[in-house]
Amino acid sequence: MTDNSHEDPAEFDTDFRLTVDAADAGKRLDAVLAAHIDALSRNRIQSLIRSGDVTVGGAKVVEPKFRVNEGDPLALSLPEPEDPEPSGEDIPIAVVFEDEHLIVVDKPAGLVVHPGAGNWTGTLVNALIHHCGDSLSGIGGVRRPGIVHRIDKDTSGLLVVAKTDQAHQGLAAQFADHGRTGPLERSYAALVWGAPSNLKGTVDTNLARSQSNRQKMAVVKTSGRHAVTHWQVRERFGAADQPALASLMECRLETGRTHQIRVHMTHIGHPLIGDDDYGSGFKTKINRLDEPLKTIVGAFDRQALHAGLLAFEHPVSGKTLRFESPYPADFANLLLSLQNF
């Protein structure tokens, strides 16, 4: 298949063209485009299709699930760039804690944290601007008001956002210190393929942009940024006399790099279930599962990662705040299915 896709969203052209080859014949239109345009999310591509910005054989197709044929010429045209300054949108958010200084939210999977290429609207920032009004701190920049840390779009869980400059500075200092001298604590629940031979351990590496795909991160020997993840096996799944099919792991961050847990779990040979970017080689395992587990695992369409614990010192009162988030329904259902395997 020929295309002119770009790995860096900043370099993505306003037009994209490709011709469907045999490998993609019969697949959904949105899936084919998403596989060849790294700069746009699948949700964004679906929106463009519904808006009439995609043609197949020169004719507009507005149904994302339209099946393409070999030889079909596809074309996608991006509309003119929108105002980069985010505006408030009435998007429901789960508020765990809020005062005049900060707000803690429980982010659902699928929600982007802040606006960026391909996701200028519909983000957590847009929801927070609507919810908080003008109280959000602008110290993080126009597109990221109040954002001190973030979690991936398809990761669920807890996030703290500053509402004042004072709170932003205090929280930013804690996250920069990674909890070495204070109460900052971040813990994630991860469902991974297989299980390490030990019950706990630490991954200590450097991470940098992958040379083969700039949208992904990779472990590197030199340069990059130092990244440390402490992990512990909480539960193993599978027959007692067989190697573990999967396991529930607790991952505690000592640093907070892009995709850190996802890359580190893959690095030790146990990628997250549902992680197409870093665990695609494990997809064949799904086909060897018995029903109904095969269907449940196959339908899990995100990395199985949940930010379930967040603790920090309130930047104004000095009080230690600690929050825990229950597993979301999809994660809980997958966990239960593995426990019953």
Side-chain angles (χ1 to χ4, degrees), residues 106-314:
D106 197 343
K107 187 189 83 69
L111 182 63
V112 176
V113 171
H114 57 72
N119 294 286
W120 294 113
T121 61
T123 72
L124 178 61
V125 162
N126 297 111
L128 288 169
I129 290 173
H130 179 271
H131 178 85
C132 301
D134 296 331
S135 65
L136 283 186
S137 166
I139 213 169
V142 172
R143 298 180 189 174
R144 308 182 185 188
I147 300 299
V148 180
H149 68 121
R150 65 189 182 104
I151 54 181
D152 291 344
K153 170 190 171 185
D154 289 325
T155 298
S156 55
L158 297 166
L159 198 76
V160 58
V161 177
K163 294 170 67 175
T164 66
D165 286 349
Q166 180 185 7
H168 198 293
Q169 291 171 339
L171 289 169
Q174 292 184 60
F175 278 87
D177 182 62
H178 304 302
R180 295 187 182 98
T181 61
L184 179 71
E185 188 178 1
R186 288 175 290 169
S187 176
Y188 291 70
L191 289 170
V192 306
W193 288 110
S197 56
N198 297 323
L199 289 178
K200 62 181 179 180
T202 297
V203 187
D204 188 335
T205 70
N206 284 358
L207 298 182
R209 290 286 174 184
S210 169
Q211 293 299 309
S212 59
N213 185 341
R214 301 295 292 175
Q215 300 303 307
K216 296 171 62 176
M217 305 300 290
V219 171
V220 294
K221 293 183 178 180
T222 59
S223 69
R225 303 184 70 187
H226 189 218
V228 179
T229 303
H230 304 285
W231 57 264
Q232 186 168 358
V233 177
R234 292 302 185 188
E235 195 172 353
R236 288 175 170 158
F237 312 112
D241 58 345
Q242 297 291 328
L245 167 68
S247 57
L248 171 66
M249 296 177 65
E250 178 185 359
C251 297
R252 291 181 177 263
L253 294 180
E254 187 175 315
T255 57
R257 311 305 181 199
T258 301
H259 299 177
Q260 179 175 316
I261 293 175
R262 299 166 63 189
V263 177
H264 274 173
M265 291 302 97
T266 298
H267 182 64
I268 64 173
H270 303 287
L272 299 176
I273 293 175
D275 194 340
D276 291 341
D277 289 330
Y278 298 102
S280 58
F282 281 69
K283 277 189 172 182
T284 55
K285 282 183 172 288
I286 299 175
N287 296 325
R288 297 198 293 268
L289 298 176
D290 294 330
E291 296 291 0
L293 186 59
K294 177 180 178 180
T295 297
I296 293 170
V297 175
F300 197 84
D301 59 356
R302 68 178 181 98
Q303 63 265 9
L305 189 62
H306 177 64
L309 171 65
L310 176 64
F312 56 89
E313 179 183 290
H314 193 289

Side-chain angles (χ1 to χ4, degrees), residues 1 19-28 32 36 68-71:
M1 177 174 289
T19 300
V20 178
D21 63 12
D24 284 327
K27 294 182 179 179
R28 289 172 54 126
V32 173
H36 293 273
V68 300
N69 298 310
E70 183 178 0

